[in-house]
Amino acid sequence: MNNNREEQKLEKSINGDGNGKRLLFFPLPLQGHITPILQLADILYSKGFSIIIIHTKFNSPNPSNHPNFTFKPINDNLSEAETSELSVFDLAYLINVKCLAPFRDCLTELFSDFSDVRRPFAALISDPVLHFTRDVAKSFDLPRFVLRTSGVGAFWGFTAIPLLQEQGYLPIEDSRLEDPVMELPPLRIKDLPVINALDPPKFYHLVAAFIEEAKTSSGVIFNSFEELESSAISTLRQQFPAPIFPIGPFHQYHPSNSSSLLKPDESSISWLDKQEPKSVVYVSFGSIAAIKEKEFLEIALGLANSKCPFLWVIRPGSVHGLEWLEALPNGFLDSLNGRGHIVKWAPQLEVLAHSSVGAFWTHNGWNSTLESICEGVPMICMPCFTDQMVNTRYVTYVWKVGIELENGLERENIARAIRRLMVEEEGEEIRKRALDLKEKAKFTSKRGGASYKSLESLISCLSPS
Ligand code: UDX
C-alpha cells in the first residue's frame, strides 16, 4: 500500500473534502463480508459521503482497487497459524478479542485528527460479528450502523436461536430433521442456521453477541430487497428494535471495483465464450466451505456423467488433505474433450452474467445466491453451514428458482440433479421463474423501487442535521 497516498487522502477528507459526511467502515475480514461492505461504501460514496475503511492486515482489501477510499490498517495481532488453521468461527472469536485495543487506538487517532470538528464522522458502519465495536463506538459518541451480510430470512432465524433452544428444536435431533419449525415458517428443523461446531456454546455465544450488536445499532443494513424477502422483512420490522434497511442488490447500483482476495482466472470467460448458450453448469462453493477428498471425486465423476459442460472453481486447500487437483483420476479433463474447465477462482459476477451459463451449483452463501438471482441463473443447492441452509430453503421452496441436491453427494445424484435442471421440463419452469425474479431484482434499486426508497431513508439517517 502507498502510505503517503493514504495520508494525503485522509488529509483531504479532514480539510473538508467530505463536507462533514465522512463514514467509517469496518469489515469482518472474510471474502463474503468484505465484498458487500465495499460495495455499500461505493454506493454511499456515489451519494456524496467520503469513505474511510478501517481494516485488519489479515485479508486486507487492495487499496489500489478503490482509489476513492482512504484505508486505515490496524494491527490485528493474528499469527499465520491462527489465520490458516482456525475455523471461521474460532477466528471470528479471536478477532473480537485481539482487535479491540487496536481499533480503539485507530479511532483515537482519527478523532484527534479532527479535534476541532464537533461531529467529524457521520457514522461507523461495521459488521455485527465484530461485536467489540459497539462499546468502542459508544465511548466516542459515534453513531453505529451494521451491515448484516446474510439474507433477512437467515438473520431472523439467528435472532430466534435462544427461543428455539428453549422450545427444544436445538440441538437438532436427526429423527426430527423434516419437522416444521412453527415459529419460523417456512423453515424445517434441518434448515435452521446452525453449524456442527466443536464447541456449540461458543457458536451460540457468537450469534447472541452479533444479534445484540445489531439490536443496539442505529440501523441494520441488508444486501437484500423487499420484493425478495417481503415476509421476513416485515416480520423483522415488527419484532426488532433497530430500523431495517434492505437496500440490495448492492452490485446493481453501478459496477463496483473488484474486492476479490484471490486473483480471478480470466480463462473462465474465454472458455465460456466457446460454449453453447445456457449449456454450462457453473460450480463453486464460495470462499470458506471445504469438502472431503471422497466428495471431491464424486463431484468430478458426477459432473463427467452429467454430460453437460462445466466450469468448476476449486480453491487451493478447499479439499481436506489436498493441495489442489492431485487426486483427480489421471487424464480426467483430457477424457472430457474440453467439456470441463477447472480454475482456482473465477470472476463470478461475469461468469453468472455469461450467456453460456445455464445453472449454478452453489453452497448458497448469501452473495452467491443473490448474484445468481440477479442474473436469472437457476441453482442446484448444496448448503454447507449456518445461513446457507436457510437460503436453500428460500431458493427451492419459496422462490422456486432451484433444486436441492438430494440423497447425498454421490455421482449418480449429482448427474441426476444436473440433468433435472438442464435438460428436463422441470428445469424449464424453474428457468422461467428465475428470469421473473431477475426482473424484480433489476427494478428495486431504480427510482421508485423499494431498495431505492430504503437507501434514501438510510442516507437521511446518516446525514448530519
Ligand atoms: C460467507 C458465508 O458462507 C455466507 O453464507 C455468508 O452469507 C457470507 O459469508 P462465502 O462462503 O464466501 O460467504 O459465500 P458467498 O456469500 O457466496 O460469497 C462468496 C463471494 O465470493 C461472492 O461474492 C462470489 O462472487 C465471490 N467468488 C466466489 C468469486 O468472485 N469467485 C469465485 O470463484 C468464488
Side-chain angles (χ1 to χ4, degrees), residues 273-339:
D273 287 342
K274 293 188 216 119
Q275 310 305 316
E276 297 291 323
K278 302 263 172 280
S279 65
V280 174
V281 182
Y282 169 57
V283 186
S284 166
F285 308 129
S287 67
I288 301 168
I291 52 175
K292 299 185 184 119
E293 182 176 335
K294 182 173 177 305
E295 295 170 328
F296 169 68
L297 290 173
E298 290 298 318
I299 293 174
L301 296 171
L303 288 170
N305 292 351
S306 76
K307 308 286 181 228
C308 291
F310 62 88
L311 170 64
W312 183 10
V313 177
I314 307 170
R315 282 177 291 113
S318 66
V319 184
H320 296 299
L322 298 186
E323 292 270 322
W324 193 39
L325 302 181
E326 62 272 25
L328 272 187
N330 265 346
F332 172 75
L333 279 177
D334 290 344
S335 71
L336 298 173
N337 296 322
R339 191 163 59 73

Side-chain angles (χ1 to χ4, degrees), residues 31-33 35 148-151 260 282 284-289 313 344-349 363-369 371 385-388 391:
Q31 183 71 70
H33 296 246
T35 299
R148 177 59 198 155
T149 56
S150 71
S260 250
Y282 169 57
S284 166
F285 308 129
S287 67
I288 301 168
V313 177
K344 292 179 176 166
W345 191 251
Q348 183 162 301
L349 282 176
H363 69 314
N364 280 137
W366 183 246
N367 296 290
S368 294
T369 304
E371 289 161 8
F385 51 79
T386 58
D387 64 324
Q388 298 159 15
N391 302 339

Side-chain angles (χ1 to χ4, degrees), residues 212-268:
E212 193 56 26
E213 180 79 358
K215 272 185 183 163
T216 54
S217 72
S218 303
V220 188
I221 305 164
F222 284 97
N223 188 10
S224 185
F225 56 103
E226 288 270 358
E227 296 84 342
L228 187 68
E229 295 197 278
S230 57
S231 152
I233 289 170
S234 67
T235 309
L236 197 66
R237 281 205 167 116
Q238 284 159 25
Q239 295 180 356
F240 207 68
I244 306 296
F245 299 98
I247 62 167
F250 293 170
H251 70 282
Q252 292 214 332
Y253 284 83
H254 46 76
S256 282
N257 290 330
S258 168
S259 50
S260 250
L261 297 169
L262 298 172
K263 191 171 174 327
D265 187 333
E266 295 300 331
S267 73
S268 311

Side-chain angles (χ1 to χ4, degrees), residues 1 165 323 359 377:
M1 177 178 49
Q165 285 176 299
E323 292 270 322
V377 177

